[in-house]
Amino acid sequence: MNITVKFFARYREAVGVDSERLVGDFATVNDVRAVLAAREGFEVLNEQNLMCARNEDLCQLDEPLADGDEVAFFPTVTGG
């Protein structure tokens, strides 16, 4: 399965790339997150309040994936 992963805001700065392609067996968004978070420099993806999207729709980490999907990770947004 081919997945495009995008990183936004502080996560993009932490990992040093805007996006990348992953090839592998990923059943859920969390599978992608776990593979990436295990890499050096990508530990930020272990944050408790991580937000994610599949094909530009907000989702939970247990969201199922299909070949060609786009997954995005970004920190929660707070404001005042």
Side-chain angles (χ1 to χ4, degrees):
M1 165 177 310
N2 288 299
I3 302 293
T4 300
V5 184
K6 293 187 174 184
F7 307 96
F8 292 95
R10 180 169 59 80
Y11 291 175
R12 179 179 56 227
E13 294 170 14
V15 302
V17 295
D18 292 339
S19 66
E20 73 174 83
R21 302 274 294 158
L22 289 180
V23 176
D25 293 325
F26 307 109
T28 66
V29 171
N30 193 54
D31 293 340
V32 172
R33 185 209 56 79
V35 165
L36 291 169
R39 293 183 184 172
E40 184 175 336
F42 285 73
E43 298 87 357
V44 69
L45 297 179
N46 284 319
E47 289 186 351
Q48 197 83 12
N49 295 327
L50 169 108
M51 293 184 70
C52 54
R54 175 182 169 245
N55 300 329
E56 299 185 5
D57 290 323
L58 289 176
C59 66
Q60 300 296 316
L61 288 170
D62 61 355
E63 179 78 13
L65 293 175
D67 188 43
D69 279 350
E70 176 187 279
V71 172
F73 294 109
F74 46 98
T76 57
V77 178
T78 60

